[in-house]
């Protein structure tokens, strides 16, 4: 497969220039084409930026889980100490 095979169905420069030429009235198809182009550009930017966002999210989640583990450990110690204190106070 050659480059010319891949680009054979792409519009030529003149067709692109005519599509973007200044007119007073644009068809619905032209608006749909511009919208589609914007969606493709947005998706491409999202794919470029997503790996960094995933790492940042993973870091935040890791920090949150770590803080929750510390809180749970403190609560567990309080419960154990409280239970041990109750047992020492109760008559046998």
């Amino acid at each position: 497969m050659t480059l010319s095979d891949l680009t054979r169905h792409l519009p030529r420069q003149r067709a692109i220039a005519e599509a973007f030429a200044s007119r007073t009235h644009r068809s619905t198809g032209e608006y749909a084409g511009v919208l589609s182009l914007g969606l493709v550009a947005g998706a491409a930017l999202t794919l470029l930026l997503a790996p960094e966002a995933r790492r940042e999210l993973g870091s935040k989640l890791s920090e949150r889980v770590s803080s929750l583990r510390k809180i749970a450990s403190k609560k567990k110690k309080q419960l154990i100490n409280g239970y041990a204190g109750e047992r020492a106070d109760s008559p046998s």
Side-chain angles (χ1 to χ4, degrees):
M1 182 173 279
T2 65
L3 183 61
S4 62
D5 292 335
L6 296 172
T7 61
R8 183 177 341 158
H9 299 291
L10 293 176
R12 301 290 173 222
Q13 184 178 2
R14 183 177 176 150
I16 294 171
E18 288 174 359
F20 287 101
S22 174
R23 289 189 236 155
T24 58
H25 178 59
R26 299 221 183 256
S27 71
T28 305
E30 288 174 310
Y31 285 116
V34 171
L35 176 65
S36 298
L37 182 63
L39 290 173
V40 169
L45 284 174
T46 301
L47 290 174
L48 288 173
L49 299 175
E52 182 63 34
R54 266 188 259 136
R55 276 184 247 143
E56 186 178 312
L57 179 61
S59 174
K60 286 181 181 179
L61 285 174
S62 177
E63 290 172 11
R64 182 68 179 148
V65 167
S66 177
S67 69
L68 288 173
R69 282 184 179 164
K70 287 179 184 176
I71 291 169
S73 177
K74 286 180 185 178
K75 294 290 183 184
K76 181 180 175 182
K77 287 179 184 177
Q78 288 174 351
L79 286 172
I80 290 172
N81 290 337
Y83 180 72
E86 286 178 12
R87 285 193 67 176
D89 293 338
S90 66
S92 297

